Amino acid sequence: MVITKICCIGAGYVGGPTCSVIALKCPNIRVTVVDLSVERISQWNSDKLPIYEPGLDDVVKKCRNINLFFSNDIETAIDEAELIFISVNTPTKTFGNGRGRAADLKYVESAARMIAKVARSNKIVVEKSTVPVRAAESIMHILGANQKMDVKYEILSNPEFLAEGTAIDDLLNADRILIGGECTETGSNAIEELSWVYQHWIPKERILTTNTWSSELSKLAANAFLAQRISSINSLSAVCEATGADVTEVAKAVGLDSRIGSKFLQASIGFGGSCFQKDILNLVYICEGLNLPEVAAYWQQVIDMNEYQKMRFSQKIIECLFNTVSDKRITIFGFAFKKNTGDTRETPAITVCKTLLEEGAKLNIYDPKVDHQQILEDLTHPSVTDSPEYVRKAIDIFDNAYDAVKDTYAIVLCTEWDEFVELDYRAIYSKMMKPAYIFDGRKILKHKELQEIGFHVQTIGRKLNRTGLLRSWATQQ
Ligand code: NAD
Ligand code: UGA
């Protein structure tokens, strides 16, 4: 089979960027990204794409309506394609068995059923969504049970490793492409076909092929390992604050060991994003189901440490502001779960805002890329408040940092946007209530300069004296 047409079901953070890059690098393949959401598809076809991702606009502009199409006509795209990516969401279940832990596979199942209904020719179906181990078996079962006489399917696992904010670079220069499939002749052929697509720009030696279950588990494992590093350094940030060690120095010293490496050792207010928590909870659930309670408990601790870190930071704000934030106005800098994205899924900023709102604070919120409506929806969600009206009155959302600081008692930096480093903090200080506090949840600001202006500075993983001034090595002697 020669791949001339690809269909991708799910036009989200993965389906959109991944297929845009495939279209860019494979001009002879016609790529159609489909979605149930009419609004999302019309945004993909507009000048304002539904997601903010550096470099994405350029890639889409180069290919859209040439060999890259966004459509709600799911059936036609499936019918025409030889290869179909399933890139739908796999959120944590919010009901029934496995609630709060297992992955909800209803969107994967509905995509599989749609393929089974429509397909009239042989298809390679590629699981790109992150799924539990052996999910491919369920997809095969659905397709097999609805098989039309002469249609044959091959199921591959091809998990995605891109990170938001760097997605285009991650896709163009992937560390590895992982393809899992069946060890049969037709399975090997399907692996070759998908591998051929990637070989348009990825060197062959970086394309790793495994059996299907290894591929599915490797994706969960990679996210679990990454998150584990963050929880590890965050756990040590608490030790640093209690002892006088500096977590940046510790991370550097540890990371210089080539066996450990320096990446993903940035202490923070905790990790966010749509996947780390979801995928580890899923891993924990799988381990429990396999009667491996010790393994489940081991990975659960990565999540528990992250919760602890988010709460620890929120509590520190309250303690420093004389144990009461009631009716105090506080500025939140950054709401996205990391810089260079407008995504707020599982952002630690929600935990911080929720805690402060519960204590009676009023919030001025500013993020360079997150829509105002999204912030409102997140903070009035039933999981955050049972009084959405109260929250609506207690928060104001701003279009720039300077307006957001007027008459506030503190700035809480939740996202490491570059622009926060270069603001005119002297001007900001003059607009704030005194004493003025800064809580740097990302360790990106110039703390010494801020102190010289007059700010009381608190950060992660560094011991502070009572007034919140950073103790330098010299003053501790
Ligand atoms: P998303 O919510 O942004 O997008 C999923 C899209 O699928 C939505 O637009 C939804 O409308 C659509 N959809 C759902 N069911 C459908 C159906 N039956 N037919 C057509 N469209 C349907 O999700 P995402 O962030 O792109 O994540 C997708 C998957 O990729 C998840 O399994 C996630 O774990 C994994 N993943 C995500 C990232 C990331 O950075 N976001 C990275 C790697 C892997
Ligand atoms: C993560 C993985 O990095 C991707 O490989 C994976 O494909 C993706 O999840 C997924 O499966 O969805 P993403 O969540 O987009 O990507 O972003 P990361 O850069 O991993 O950051 C996740 C969170 O960890 C952010 O809140 C970030 O601020 C935080 N983080 C990251 C730290 O607190 N410290 C660090 O050192 C690194």
Side-chain angles (χ1 to χ4, degrees), residues 315-339:
Q315 288 304 334
K316 186 196 270 195
I317 299 167
I318 296 163
E319 276 164 29
C320 288
L321 296 178
F322 313 104
N323 276 316
T324 174
V325 292
S326 179
D327 283 330
K328 286 182 182 162
R329 202 158 264 287
I330 294 174
T331 306
I332 306 292
F333 272 180
F335 198 79
F337 80 94
K338 63 186 280 198
K339 74 173 179 180

Side-chain angles (χ1 to χ4, degrees), residues 12-14 35 40 88-90 110 130 160 164 278 345:
Y13 284 88
V14 166
D35 204 288
R40 227 174 202 192
V88 299
N89 37 331
T90 49
S110 73
T130 305
E160 184 48 62
E164 290 177 30
K278 157 177 91 69
R345 291 178 290 181

Side-chain angles (χ1 to χ4, degrees), residues 121-141:
S121 55
N122 297 350
K123 309 284 180 201
I124 299 173
V125 177
V126 183
E127 210 179 55
K128 188 153 267 305
S129 299
T130 305
V131 289
V133 192
R134 298 194 84 96
E137 205 168 43
S138 312
I139 297 175
M140 197 50 182
H141 197 61

Side-chain angles (χ1 to χ4, degrees), residues 138-310:
S138 312
I139 297 175
M140 197 50 182
H141 197 61
I142 291 165
L143 295 175
N146 294 281
Q147 201 157 14
K148 297 181 192 96
M149 285 289 285
D150 46 353
V151 177
K152 295 196 174 55
Y153 298 103
E154 280 301 325
I155 316 290
L156 299 178
S157 160
N158 171 222
E160 184 48 62
F161 295 101
L162 67 80
E164 290 177 30
T166 53
I168 298 300
D169 191 50
D170 294 342
L171 288 162
L172 289 173
N173 304 298
D175 286 343
R176 79 307 207 180
I177 298 292
L178 179 57
I179 305 177
E182 278 193 50
C183 304
T184 58
E185 197 187 333
T186 51
S188 303
N189 289 343
I191 291 175
E192 276 305 307
E193 304 287 0
L194 181 58
S195 174
W196 171 80
V197 173
Y198 284 112
Q199 279 174 48
H200 282 76
W201 78 98
I202 302 284
K204 202 170 178 200
E205 58 274 15
R206 274 197 252 151
I207 301 177
L208 183 67
T209 59
T210 64
N211 81 36
T212 316
W213 322 135
S214 303
S215 172
E216 290 174 333
L217 182 57
S218 299
K219 172 62 196 176
L220 295 181
N223 274 0
F225 270 61
L226 290 169
Q228 182 199 45
R229 283 174 73 95
I230 303 169
S231 278
S232 296
I233 198 70
N234 281 344
S235 75
L236 293 173
S237 75
V239 180
C240 288
E241 286 163 41
T243 58
D246 179 335
V247 76
T248 305
E249 293 174 351
V250 174
K252 186 170 180 190
V254 171
L256 279 172
D257 186 324
S258 61
R259 294 169 302 175
I260 296 173
S262 61
K263 291 181 182 163
F264 265 68
L265 289 180
Q266 175 71 39
S268 67
I269 54 174
F271 59 74
S274 62
C275 293
F276 279 174
Q277 179 172 303
K278 157 177 91 69
D279 294 346
I280 297 174
L281 287 171
N282 187 9
L283 181 61
V284 169
Y285 184 72
I286 291 168
C287 294
E288 284 173 358
L290 295 171
N291 200 19
L292 299 169
E294 289 81 2
V295 185
Y298 176 77
W299 289 110
Q300 177 64 43
Q301 191 57 29
V302 173
I303 303 280
D304 294 348
M305 183 52 62
N306 198 47
E307 288 304 310
Y308 169 72
Q309 186 76 349
K310 289 189 281 185

Side-chain angles (χ1 to χ4, degrees), residues 341-358:
T341 177
D343 195 351
T344 64
R345 291 178 290 181
E346 303 296 339
T347 176
I350 294 179
T351 309
V352 173
C353 292
K354 178 178 189 283
T355 311
L356 294 175
L357 287 166
E358 282 169 356

